[in-house]
Amino acid sequence: MDKFRDCGDIKKDLRYLYTVQFWVFLVSRNANRGERKSRERERGAMAEDLVLDTAIRDWVLIPLSVVMVLIGVLRYFVSKLMRSAQIPDAKLVKEGQVIVRARNLRAAANFIPPKSFRARRLYYSNEENGLLYVPKGQAPNAQAQMFSDPNMAMDMMKKNLSMIIPQTLTFAWVNFFFSGFVAAKIPFPLTQRFRAMLQNGIDLSTVDVSYVSSRSWYFLNLFGLRGLFSIILGEENATDDTQRMMQMTGFGFDPTKSLGAEKDGLDIVQHDWTMPKFERRAEAVLRKLVR
Amino acid sequence: MAVHDESETSGRKESEEIDVPIFSAENMQSNMKVIYYSRTFMSIIGGVIAGILGFTGLTGFVIYFLVMAITSIGLIAKTGFSIHSYFTGWSQIILDGFLGGLMSFVLFWTFAYDIVHIF
C-alpha cells in the first residue's frame, strides 16, 4: 500500500477555493434572486409599475457605482505616479518658451513704443537668425523624428492603455455577473428604439423601456461620474475624453508648424501706440478728482 | 470642496475711451473654473433632490433648468452684480457649462429615484 500523502497543502488550497466560490456564489445568488422576483411580478402584473427586489439595489447599483468611483481614483493616482518619471525634452521646452514670449509680445504690442516693438519683432522673425524662422527643409525631419521617438510612442501607449483597460475590464465584469435582469428604472420615458440598447439582458418585450439592465447603468455611471471626479480630484484629470490626449500628442509632434504660425501672427500685427490715449485718460480722471 | 475657494478674482481693467481690454488670463481661467465647479456641484445636488421628490419625465428636466438658473443667479449675486469686472459678458456667466452637468444630473436623479421609489 502506498503511504498516505501529506494533506496539509491541499487543505490550504481547498480553503482558498471555497472562499472564492463562496463570494461568487453570494453575488450570483443575490443577482438571481432579484431576477426571479422581478420576473414573477412582471408576469403577474403587466402594468407600468414593477417592484424590484431590494437585493438589486444593495448588490448591483451601489457596488457598481462604488467600484467605478474607486477605479477612477486609482487610475488618477497611477497616472500621476507614472507621469512623474518623465523628463521633458530640453529642446521642446525651449521652443515652447519662445512661442510663449512671441505670443506675449503680440498681445502687449500696443504698450511699448513703435521702435522697440519693431526691434523685438525683427529679433523674432529675422530671416537669418530669428528665433521663429525655420527653413523649409527641416520641418518634415522634425516630425519624422517625433514619430519614431520611442519614448513618445511608449508614453502614448501607456496613456491609452491606462484608460482603456479599466473600462474594458469593468465592462466585462458587469456583463458577466450582472446580466439578465432589470437593474434600474430611468425616471424619464424613452422611445422604443432605445430598447435594444438599454435592455439587452431582458428578453421580455412588454416591459417598459424605462426599466434598464445593468449594462446601461454602467454607461450612465461612466458619463455621469466625470463631473464628480472633477470635484473630488481637483484639477482636470485623465478620466475625461481622449480629446485631450490627442491634443497633447499633437503639440509634441509639430512644433515647427506652431513656430511658423507665431511668426505669421507677429508679422500681421499693426502697431497702435496707446500711450497718448492713456495720457488723455489720466487727464480726464484727474479732472474728475479735482472737481 | 476643499480644493478651491469660492472667491472670484477680478482681473479685468478697461479704459473708458478706447477699447483696449486688458485681461489677466490666469484670473479669467480661475473664474471659469469656479463657474464649472459650482454648476457641477449644483447639478449633482439637483439630481438628488429631483430623485427624492419623485419627479419623472419632463418635470425632471424642468428641475434641471431651474437649478441651473438658480446657480446663475447665485453667481451673479456673488460678483456683486458687476459682471464686467469679472467676465467678458453675460453669455459667459449664464450660458457657460449649462449642459455640462446634464449627465451627472441624470445619473444622480436615477440613483435617488430608484433608491427611494422603486426599491
Side-chain angles (χ1 to χ4, degrees):
Chain A
M1 291 260 316
D2 295 72
K3 272 200 292 200
F4 287 131
R5 298 208 197 129
D6 188 331
C7 291
D9 288 339
I10 300 186
K11 263 203 215 142
K12 203 163 32 142
D13 287 344
L14 279 179
R15 223 178 295 147
Y16 173 71
L17 200 62
Y18 285 150
T19 324
V20 168
Q21 274 194 3
F22 172 67
W23 284 112
V24 169
F25 167 71
L26 203 60
V27 174
S28 61
R29 180 191 77 119
N30 281 310
N32 279 334
R33 174 151 57 108
E35 170 196 11
R36 244 180 298 128
K37 275 211 182 140
S38 67
R39 279 224 183 117
E40 282 171 9
R41 291 213 171 91
E42 283 161 23
R43 272 189 234 112
M46 293 285 209
E48 303 293 326
D49 249 8
L50 296 183
V51 176
L52 300 174
D53 194 3
T54 318
I56 298 184
R57 174 190 66 194
D58 292 342
W59 293 95
V60 175
L61 288 194
I62 296 183
L64 192 51
S65 297
V66 166
V67 162
M68 292 189 71
V69 169
L70 290 179
I71 285 186
V73 172
L74 192 67
R75 189 168 43 185
Y76 170 70
F77 283 122
V78 164
S79 69
K80 244 193 6 175
L81 286 175
M82 287 208 310
R83 228 184 297 152
S84 63
Q86 180 192 47
I87 303 174
D89 186 16
K91 185 166 174 295
L92 269 184
V93 170
K94 254 204 286 188
E95 281 175 357
Q97 294 296 345
V98 164
I99 293 179
V100 169
R101 280 167 63 191
R103 215 174 287 163
N104 282 342
L105 176 65
R106 198 156 33 113
N110 293 331
F111 297 110
I112 49 179
K115 222 189 300 181
S116 36
F117 170 67
R118 255 175 281 154
R120 284 177 174 82
R121 183 164 62 180
L122 199 66
Y123 176 64
Y124 282 113
S125 41
N126 188 11
E127 294 237 337
E128 284 145 33
N129 54 0
L131 294 181
L132 293 180
Y133 187 71
V134 175
K136 292 261 174 56
Q138 276 187 13
N141 274 349
Q143 271 197 3
Q145 193 187 35
M146 287 304 159
F147 270 113
S148 64
D149 193 9
N151 281 340
M152 195 78 77
M154 266 288 293
D155 247 2
M156 248 180 48
M157 277 257 304
K158 266 195 234 166
K159 279 198 196 121
N160 272 327
L161 285 183
S162 83
M163 257 191 43
I164 292 184
I165 281 192
Q167 278 186 16
T168 321
L169 283 180
T170 316
F171 188 55
W173 176 64
V174 164
N175 267 346
F176 179 63
F177 277 120
F178 302 128
S179 61
F181 59 94
V182 172
K185 177 178 197 287
I186 324 185
F188 48 92
L190 292 166
T191 59
Q192 296 296 320
R193 267 186 299 147
F194 287 100
R195 185 184 290 274
M197 190 169 61
L198 299 176
Q199 281 191 346
N200 46 24
I202 308 165
D203 293 326
L204 299 173
S205 56
T206 51
V207 176
D208 217 356
V209 191
S210 300
Y211 291 95
V212 299
S213 65
S214 38
R215 195 187 286 192
S216 47
W217 176 247
Y218 167 73
F219 280 117
L220 196 61
N221 267 352
L222 192 64
F223 292 122
L225 285 177
R226 272 190 271 160
L228 192 67
F229 283 140
S230 70
I231 289 186
I232 294 180
L233 301 178
E235 77 281 0
E236 280 311 319
N237 40 64
T239 55
D240 250 352
D241 306 309
T242 55
Q243 283 179 4
R244 215 174 305 114
M245 266 177 14
M246 290 306 157
Q247 241 182 28
M248 292 221 0
T249 55
F251 175 78
F253 278 163
D254 51 2
T256 54
K257 265 195 231 154
S258 43
L259 285 183
E262 276 305 315
K263 175 172 169 301
D264 291 339
L266 209 51
D267 285 338
I268 290 178
V269 170
Q270 301 273 26
H271 187 264
D272 181 20
W273 202 27
T274 54
M275 274 314 262
K277 302 188 192 140
F278 276 2
E279 283 176 355
R280 259 189 286 143
R281 177 172 179 239
E283 178 194 347
V285 167
L286 287 176
R287 273 190 205 279
K288 259 194 259 175
L289 282 178
V290 164
R291 225 180 290 146
Chain B
M1 295 193 290
V3 195
H4 67 282
D5 57 325
E6 291 284 306
S7 63
E8 291 179 294
T9 41
S10 158
R12 183 167 177 251
K13 289 175 277 184
E14 184 181 350
S15 66
E16 291 127 5
E17 291 180 349
I18 50 177
D19 221 356
V20 181
I22 314 168
F23 299 112
S24 162
E26 185 181 313
N27 286 349
M28 290 205 57
Q29 221 181 19
S30 149
N31 290 347
M32 300 309 288
K33 250 194 245 176
V34 167
I35 293 184
Y36 176 67
Y37 284 143
S38 305
R39 283 198 196 276
T40 312
F41 192 64
M42 285 299 289
S43 57
I44 291 181
I45 301 279
V48 175
I49 291 179
I52 293 181
L53 292 180
F55 291 111
T56 61
L58 209 53
T59 332
F61 288 109
V62 166
I63 298 281
Y64 175 68
F65 286 117
L66 207 63
V67 165
M68 283 291 118
I70 292 178
T71 314
S72 295
I73 293 180
L75 287 168
I76 293 177
K78 177 80 178 170
T79 66
F81 290 100
S82 68
I83 300 186
H84 292 288
S85 61
Y86 296 104
F87 299 100
T88 43
W90 290 93
S91 66
Q92 246 192 3
I93 194 170
I94 291 185
L95 295 180
D96 187 60
F98 210 74
L99 296 177
L102 190 64
M103 286 314 299
S104 305
F105 174 80
V106 168
L107 171 70
F108 282 93
W109 181 24
T110 311
F111 198 50
Y113 181 78
D114 281 350
I115 288 186
V116 172
H117 292 271
I118 305 286
F119 290 112

